[in-house]
Amino acid sequence: MGVYSQTPPKKTIYCQINERSVLSDKTIIEIDLGQKQSGLITSSCIVDKDGNVVKFNSIVDALNFMGELGWEFCQTYKDNEINVFLLKQTVEAENVSKCYPPIKTK
């Protein structure tokens, strides 16, 4: 009798990075992980493993940061004055609940 190993089912999760210019020389980068938000105005910052707030120098810096965490670029588009970048990550289905937020926020 043979022993068969089953590959656990996978699920793809997504996140969105928004890049918008506020002044001619300032850009705001926001990462939407699909987390629940309460109230009219909420703010969360991405933090590193030591709890320090991560500040991005550019959209490429943010994409590289997310890439190091296993996120893959999907597509980009422009929504009014906001550049939108969609990323995805494939995880084991049973671990999806542990992936929200898939990176630490503060």
Side-chain angles (χ1 to χ4, degrees), residues 44-45 86:
S44 61
C45 299
L86 295 177

Side-chain angles (χ1 to χ4, degrees), residues 15-67:
C15 81
Q16 176 176 308
I17 302 178
N18 299 323
E19 175 194 38
R20 58 188 167 96
S21 296
V22 205
L23 303 170
S24 59
D25 64 340
K26 184 169 180 169
T27 300
I28 293 178
I29 297 172
E30 302 166 320
I31 298 179
D32 180 356
L33 301 165
Q35 68 272 32
K36 292 182 181 179
Q37 298 181 352
S38 59
L40 296 175
I41 300 173
T42 59
S43 176
S44 61
C45 299
I46 304 300
V47 294
D48 63 18
K49 63 182 177 183
D50 299 321
N52 301 313
V53 173
V54 176
K55 296 194 182 227
F56 300 110
N57 297 315
S58 66
I59 190 63
V60 172
D61 190 21
L63 290 167
N64 285 335
F65 176 84
M66 296 301 284

